[in-house]
Amino acid sequence: QVQLVESGGGLVQPGGSLRLSCVASGTIVKFNAMSWYRQAPGKERELVARIFSGGSTNYADPVKGRFTISRDSAKNTVYLQMNSLKPEDTAVYYCNADPGWTSYWGQGTQVTVSS
């Protein structure tokens, strides 16, 4: 069993930055990919960014050029650096880990962008 714990969310003004962290613990396996998703009130959960085991990444169009996903394999941690935040980035952000046969989720961390 794998547990994912997110941290780093909070309230930030438009144009500000936040860095989210997701630490994996438990029975650590090699993940095909680790991802960040977000879900805003009244909307479906959507993919924000993904990093594959080989290091390649992809991003949703709304966050390209503003968000960066990275990982520290030694610490079993994946990060999401969010810059130039906008009010429309407000959502609960979830970490996801995909070992290939299932999908693990964290509990989410709230990000609110407001003046």
Side-chain angles (χ1 to χ4, degrees):
Q1 189 71 6
V2 173
Q3 295 80 43
L4 303 176
V5 178
E6 303 100 332
S7 62
L11 173 64
V12 63
Q13 293 186 342
S17 298
L18 284 174
R19 188 177 82 154
L20 306 183
S21 300
C22 171
V23 180
S25 62
T27 305
I28 301 299
V29 298
K30 183 177 181 179
F31 299 118
N32 291 342
M34 293 191 74
S35 308
W36 286 97
Y37 285 74
R38 68 185 180 186
Q39 187 167 19
K43 295 188 177 181
E44 293 186 354
R45 191 172 297 188
E46 62 178 2
L47 176 67
V48 176
R50 176 170 289 152
I51 185 164
F52 295 91
S53 58
S56 62
T57 59
N58 57 32
Y59 297 90
D61 285 343
V63 308
K64 283 181 180 177
R66 300 189 297 122
F67 291 10
T68 303
I69 189 170
S70 62
R71 67 183 180 195
D72 184 334
S73 298
K75 296 181 179 179
N76 295 318
T77 301
V78 64
Y79 303 98
L80 185 68
Q81 178 67 43
M82 305 186 294
N83 299 327
S84 301
L85 282 160
K86 305 175 181 180
E88 51 264 43
D89 295 317
T90 295
V92 178
Y93 283 70
Y94 297 91
C95 179
N96 174 272
D98 173 16
W101 62 85
T102 188
S103 188
Y104 296 104
W105 292 93
Q107 82 289 348
T109 185
Q110 176 71 46
V111 171
T112 302
V113 185
S114 175
S115 56

